[in-house]
Amino acid sequence: MNWEFTEDAAFMALCDGFRESGENSAIEFLANGEGAFHFQELTQNAAGEGIDLSNSIDLKQFQQEIIDTLEFLCK
């Protein structure tokens, strides 16, 4: 992927929300309302940047990259 999603406002909001939630698992955070909302917004922004996530494998890889980055940068 050639898009630096960590600089996107939706990712920053996702990261802030994850920190504030007290949740230990990024997967669980993404499953709740606030996390799901920001993840959806980030997915839409990715599409706007030309990232094709219509394939379920690509979407799953994108989601895993978000999870890994959240757990690395935002704990």
Side-chain angles (χ1 to χ4, degrees), residues 60-74:
K60 192 170 211 138
Q61 288 174 338
F62 178 70
Q63 184 177 28
Q64 188 60 54
E65 190 170 351
I66 299 303
I67 289 166
D68 293 344
T69 304
L70 277 175
E71 290 182 346
F72 180 73
L73 293 179
C74 304

Side-chain angles (χ1 to χ4, degrees), residues 20-53:
E20 293 170 5
S21 74
E23 190 69 60
N24 290 324
S25 167
I27 293 171
E28 299 219 2
F29 177 69
L30 290 176
N32 79 34
E34 182 184 1
F37 171 78
H38 290 304
F39 179 73
Q40 179 64 31
E41 185 179 12
L42 187 60
T43 302
Q44 290 172 345
N45 293 352
E49 292 292 325
I51 308 298
D52 183 9
L53 298 174

